[in-house]
Amino acid sequence: MSMTDVLGAEDIKKAVEAFTAAESFDYKKFFEMVGLKNKSQEEVQKVFRIIDKDRSGFIEEEELKFILKGFLPSSRDLSDKETKALMAVGDKDGDGKIGMD
């Protein structure tokens, strides 16, 4: 399964292009631009599984660093600062990983 099975290719491209500059990543804006806000829980879970490269059921910091590549392989990696900021928002229980819930 690929992202374009769930999200529009043009939406993904525009969202990734909006955050090409280092330190520009805004997760709320990005997820809105790719269309995740309008997707069902099942569709969001499909996207989660694509990002969860090691199939652990969690997204760890190392996978999060490459989150944009999960949407568009040619995109940039997040900086350490961006990765840590995104982890802090998604890691609700402080265990260093983001669960599907």
Side-chain angles (χ1 to χ4, degrees), residues 1 5 7 38 44 49 51 58-59 61-63 68-69 74 76 82-83 94 97-99:
M1 173 169 288
D5 292 332
L7 304 169
N38 303 320
V44 172
R49 286 187 204 102
I51 296 168
F58 298 95
I59 297 174
E61 192 168 320
E62 190 59 31
E63 291 169 315
L68 293 178
K69 288 185 188 301
S74 62
R76 72 176 179 91
E82 290 170 316
T83 303
K97 49 191 174 184
I98 300 172

Side-chain angles (χ1 to χ4, degrees), residues 32-97:
E32 184 176 324
M33 289 178 76
V34 294
L36 274 176
K37 291 189 110 185
N38 303 320
K39 297 297 178 185
S40 69
Q41 182 176 356
E42 183 179 313
E43 291 168 314
V44 172
Q45 288 173 347
K46 286 178 184 177
V47 170
F48 182 95
R49 286 187 204 102
I50 293 168
I51 296 168
D52 179 19
K53 297 290 186 199
D54 66 1
R55 305 285 186 244
S56 66
F58 298 95
I59 297 174
E60 294 87 5
E61 192 168 320
E62 190 59 31
E63 291 169 315
L64 206 54
K65 182 174 188 75
F66 306 111
I67 192 169
L68 293 178
K69 288 185 188 301
F71 287 87
L72 189 66
S74 62
S75 60
R76 72 176 179 91
D77 298 339
L78 294 184
S79 69
D80 289 342
K81 182 180 175 182
E82 290 170 316
T83 303
K84 289 186 184 315
L86 185 52
M87 178 59 75
V89 199
D91 180 14
K92 300 295 183 194
D93 61 5
D95 65 355
K97 49 191 174 184

